Amino acid sequence: MGLSCSGYNCPVEVTIQLIGGKYKAVILWHLMGKTLRYSELHKRMPKATDKMLAQQLRELEKAGLINRKVYPVIPPKTEYSLTDFGKSLTPILDELCKWGEDYLDRIQTLEK
């Protein structure tokens, strides 16, 4: 297979580039079907530093996968939701979740 647009060698590479950051897929999964504030996202990913979470959110927004809405109130209120393009990842994220559950079940079975 030859080079595709933007220098990617295969479509999987493009997908991983978009959702493969340390917390990107997790952020997208938490936003499926709901809108969350920054603090709500951070509570769901307590190991993520503020810097890392903010960076991952910016990259997802730049890629057109999430919406960021800032309300002009004090203190600032920022909400995140999936764009229609981001929602198109739902079947992929559901399968990743299912695969992870199956893997955890397998590991637990092997440990017995």
Side-chain angles (χ1 to χ4, degrees):
M1 184 188 324
L3 272 182
S4 60
C5 62
S6 302
Y8 292 105
N9 291 311
C10 82
V12 173
E13 188 178 355
V14 176
T15 305
I16 297 301
Q17 178 70 34
L18 287 173
I19 68 169
K22 187 163 184 167
Y23 296 103
K24 288 180 183 178
V26 178
I27 291 167
L28 293 167
W29 188 79
H30 284 302
L31 291 175
M32 287 187 347
K34 61 183 84 71
T35 298
L36 295 173
R37 293 178 66 177
Y38 179 89
S39 61
E40 293 171 314
L41 280 167
H42 201 253
K43 283 178 189 170
R44 292 163 196 239
M45 294 172 280
K47 292 183 180 179
T49 64
D50 280 326
K51 180 180 177 183
M52 178 60 74
L53 183 56
Q55 176 186 336
Q56 300 278 280
L57 287 165
R58 276 193 304 273
E59 290 175 11
L60 289 168
E61 183 183 14
K62 184 178 178 184
L65 296 171
I66 64 171
N67 290 311
R68 177 177 178 260
K69 185 172 183 178
V70 180
Y71 294 89
V73 295
I74 307 282
K77 177 181 172 183
T78 306
E79 291 182 338
Y80 296 91
S81 61
L82 295 179
T83 62
D84 286 340
F85 182 48
K87 289 174 186 173
S88 71
L89 288 165
T90 297
I92 295 164
L93 296 169
D94 282 338
E95 285 301 313
L96 281 172
C97 183
K98 183 181 178 310
W99 189 92
E101 289 171 344
D102 291 345
Y103 175 76
L104 291 173
D105 288 344
R106 180 181 179 166
I107 294 300
Q108 287 176 344
T109 301
L110 292 173
E111 289 176 349
K112 291 180 182 178

